[in-house]
Amino acid sequence: ENLGMNVIGYDPMISVENAWLLSAGVKRAMVLDELLEKADYITIHVPLLPATKNIISYHEFSKMKDNTILLNFARNGLVDKKALAEAFETGKVSKYVVDFPEADILDNPKVIAVPHLGASTPESEENCAKMAAIELRDFLETGSINNSVNMPKCILSDTNLHRVAVFHQNLPKQISQMTTIFANEHINVSEMVNKSRGTIAYSVFDLDSVPSEEAIRAIEAIDGVVKVREIK
């Protein structure tokens, strides 16, 4: 948009949260073919999964305009190399811009190879440092987890209630055992959130009163509990 271009996007998995972050000027394509037929420049931003391998192949190239410029700064394996070679020959693709070129396409004059250094620019390094500091502060102050490598995402608003955060294995009856301990102390759970990622889970309890040390020790003793943290 800052370059004065008309932007169209396609994402069948977009979340409401990410949709709010988009500019109102971005037009939505209801299907991928609609984007392919309209765009002069196509840029890919998806992870490499079994469902996305060769997501751009013979069918997709056939739907593109002639002399399309394709940019791939996502992952290798998203573009079918054999189909790309044919698209070069037919004139469907005039340039392929990529930051992880494979050796067999490096000498092609229609390939523009750039270093894979997008996260290493001074601006990116500064922004990453700021983001890491903010996310660490949020975890220490509220228990929120965001952009963790191996923990589930859990964004929490700050409250005046006593908060207990528990890292535990993603097993049945873990939460019921914790709430039973609070109930035995006549402590009301005002709000609770539970998130999991694979074998690990993260549960947060906002309590109307402060649990005793015995209650915290009892939760720590539950089989499968990794760590209990009190957040005042």
Side-chain angles (χ1 to χ4, degrees):
E1 279 193 308
N2 289 338
L3 293 171
M5 302 175 79
N6 297 317
V7 180
I8 181 172
Y10 170 73
D11 185 351
M13 306 298 291
I14 193 169
S15 66
V16 174
E17 179 183 350
N18 286 332
W20 275 107
L21 299 176
L22 290 176
S23 165
V26 176
K27 298 178 178 63
R28 179 187 178 192
M30 301 305 295
V31 294
L32 180 57
D33 281 1
E34 179 186 352
L35 182 148
L36 298 172
E37 292 167 357
K38 293 181 178 180
D40 300 297
Y41 294 78
I42 298 174
T43 176
I44 310 170
H45 303 273
V46 298
L48 179 60
L49 305 169
T52 60
K53 183 176 175 60
N54 290 336
I55 193 173
I56 303 296
S57 191
Y58 293 100
H59 170 81
E60 288 71 31
F61 285 121
S62 72
K63 295 295 182 179
M64 294 180 188
K65 295 181 178 182
D66 290 342
N67 297 314
T68 294
I69 294 176
L70 180 63
L71 302 95
N72 181 8
F73 302 123
R75 289 290 184 270
N76 235 335
L78 297 173
V79 177
D80 186 330
K81 289 193 300 180
K82 291 183 179 179
L84 175 63
E86 183 177 299
F88 284 149
E89 293 296 325
T90 61
K92 281 292 184 179
V93 174
S94 62
K95 292 293 180 183
Y96 179 52
V97 189
V98 60
D99 62 350
F100 38 80
E102 295 177 272
D104 54 352
I105 65 172
L106 269 176
D107 293 333
N108 192 312
K110 294 186 177 181
V111 174
I112 299 177
V114 298
H116 189 69
L117 296 173
S120 299
T121 63
E123 295 87 354
S124 294
E125 294 285 356
E126 182 176 346
N127 288 336
C128 286
K130 289 179 180 178
M131 183 175 68
I134 291 170
E135 291 170 359
L136 179 59
R137 183 194 64 191
D138 286 345
F139 174 72
L140 294 174
E141 294 182 350
T142 71
S144 292
I145 299 175
N146 193 19
N147 294 324
S148 172
V149 173
N150 51 14
M151 295 303 302
K153 183 175 182 178
C154 185
I155 308 298
L156 303 162
S157 58
D158 198 5
T159 71
N160 293 323
L161 300 174
H162 190 82
R163 178 168 287 175
V164 175
V166 185
F167 293 96
H168 58 93
Q169 294 179 18
N170 190 18
L171 299 171
K173 300 183 179 181
Q174 294 277 287
I175 296 173
S176 62
Q177 293 181 77
M178 300 174 202
T179 55
T180 297
I181 292 171
F182 294 135
N184 289 338
E185 289 207 345
H186 305 288
I187 296 175
N188 180 53
V189 178
S190 178
E191 191 171 354
M192 187 203 79
V193 62
N194 170 259
K195 300 291 183 179
S196 63
R197 186 170 183 179
T199 60
I200 196 71
Y202 183 59
S203 297
V204 182
F205 304 89
D206 280 346
L207 310 175
D208 289 346
S209 54
V210 179
S212 66
E213 290 187 10
E214 290 75 15
I216 298 300
R217 301 293 86 79
I219 294 175
E220 289 176 335
I222 295 173
D223 187 30
V225 168
V226 178
K227 183 176 180 60
V228 179
R229 178 170 170 247
E230 293 183 82
I231 304 171
K232 305 298 182 181

